[in-house]
Amino acid sequence: MPALIFFDIDKTLTSSKQPLTPEMAALLGQLLERTNVAIISGGAFAQFREQIINQLPHGVCLERLYILPTSGAALYTYRDGMWKPVYEEHLTDAQTIKIKDAIETAIRETSVIDLSVPSFGDRIELRGAQVTLSALGQQAPIAEKEAWDPDASKKRILRDAIAPMLPEFDVKTGGSTSIDVTLQGVNKAYGVRKVGELCSFLISDMLYIGDALYPGGNDEVVKETGIRTHQVKDPEDTMRVIQEILVR
Ligand SMILES: [Mg+2]
């Protein structure tokens, strides 16, 4: 049994931006009875609360849960009945404006996003330590999002247009329609190392479960920490993996 099991969210624990299913929530509850769990994804803390924390079975040991919003730019733990940041990196206002300008320029220059179609909520979201572009808007329905860029080519075009304008930042493709811009070096690998250092876990005792550990995927970067990894296909696959861990 690993001392700490990391999970990605999108396509690993849930479908895009959906809450945990009751089945997945029950399995995570059982896992938390046995070991520590860390969850890392591009969303802000409020999204983790809605999608993950509020769905967990009543009475689970939240002290064993480590929440890493904005792709590892922050770490929250539950102590004395409250979620509190252990660390939280922030972009300055000037950095945020520069990133937003670069994203808007890339949208205009690539024409990959059809601006004549109204977006589902804002396309650009400022998440403190991260700026996220969601091509169809933050609240776009899953079916529309999955149909927009099935081969990830539009996201690559956008990323390749944005990245040269922002050499001092990391520009990465995120979920099905999103691009995440963060401080350089602040990414999922950074999050894995920080939890290890600050919460006294050895990376050799951790396991990382994600759907995008393949080259170019948004979980791949964790491999540079030396963490053991397990690639999954989708949330159903993840449930099978958790069940296997639980019977060990
Ligand atoms: Mg994912």
Side-chain angles (χ1 to χ4, degrees):
M1 176 68 72
L4 177 68
I5 305 180
F6 263 90
F7 291 93
D8 160 60
I9 297 184
D10 198 11
K11 294 189 184 166
T12 298
L13 287 179
T14 73
S15 304
S16 184
K17 292 210 174 169
Q18 297 303 294
L20 289 177
T21 61
E23 296 76 19
M24 183 68 89
L27 283 171
L28 285 178
Q30 288 177 50
L31 207 49
L32 283 165
E33 286 173 19
R34 302 270 306 277
T35 190
N36 299 284
V37 170
I39 302 183
I40 188 163
S41 176
F45 181 75
Q47 200 181 319
F48 279 72
R49 196 188 277 281
E50 236 172 83
Q51 261 186 292
I52 310 289
I53 299 167
N54 289 352
Q55 312 304 324
L56 291 171
H58 203 67
V60 314
C61 183
L62 294 175
E63 285 79 4
R64 284 188 175 166
L65 186 59
Y66 296 80
I67 297 290
L68 291 105
T70 47
S71 309
L75 165 65
Y76 282 71
T77 55
Y78 191 78
R79 299 289 179 266
D80 307 319
M82 278 198 309
W83 286 100
K84 288 181 200 148
V86 177
Y87 71 87
E88 198 156 33
E89 313 289 354
H90 281 284
L91 294 166
T92 64
D93 289 348
Q95 288 173 322
T96 304
I97 290 165
K98 183 174 183 195
I99 294 168
K100 203 165 170 261
D101 286 350
I103 291 174
E104 283 167 351
T105 302
I107 291 173
R108 276 197 310 276
E109 286 179 355
T110 61
S111 309
V112 165
I113 297 175
D114 184 356
L115 294 175
S116 68
V117 180
S119 63
F120 298 88
D122 291 339
R123 285 197 171 91
I124 299 177
E125 191 186 14
L126 313 176
R127 294 177 179 169
Q130 176 175 306
V131 179
T132 297
L133 162 65
S134 298
L136 302 179
Q138 292 295 322
Q139 279 92 43
I142 307 177
E144 307 234 6
K145 290 206 283 189
E146 285 180 348
W148 182 72
D149 189 26
D151 64 356
S153 58
K154 291 179 183 168
K155 283 199 296 275
R156 276 198 297 272
I157 291 169
L158 282 165
R159 188 200 56 205
D160 293 349
I162 296 168
M165 290 187 266
L166 299 172
E168 70 275 48
F169 298 96
D170 276 347
V171 182
K172 291 215 163 52
T173 57
S176 46
T177 64
S178 63
I179 307 281
D180 295 324
V181 182
T182 54
L183 288 166
Q184 209 161 45
V186 177
N187 53 32
K188 288 182 171 180
Y190 180 85
V192 167
R193 289 194 189 99
K194 286 291 251 186
V195 172
E197 280 164 35
L198 297 172
C199 307
S200 304
F201 292 106
L202 291 173
I203 288 180
S204 54
D205 291 337
M206 300 181 192
L207 171 67
Y208 187 102
I209 299 174
D211 71 294
L213 286 154
Y214 49 79
N218 69 10
D219 298 308
E220 185 200 11
V221 68
V222 302
K223 290 185 175 175
E224 69 186 39
T225 67
I227 194 171
R228 207 149 39 95
T229 59
H230 190 115
Q231 165 80 36
V232 289
K233 218 169 68 225
D234 52 29
E236 287 68 42
D237 197 16
T238 303
M239 290 205 287
R240 280 189 292 274
V241 173
I242 297 174
Q243 277 157 344
E244 280 165 23
I245 293 171
L246 286 170
V247 299
R248 270 184 214 165

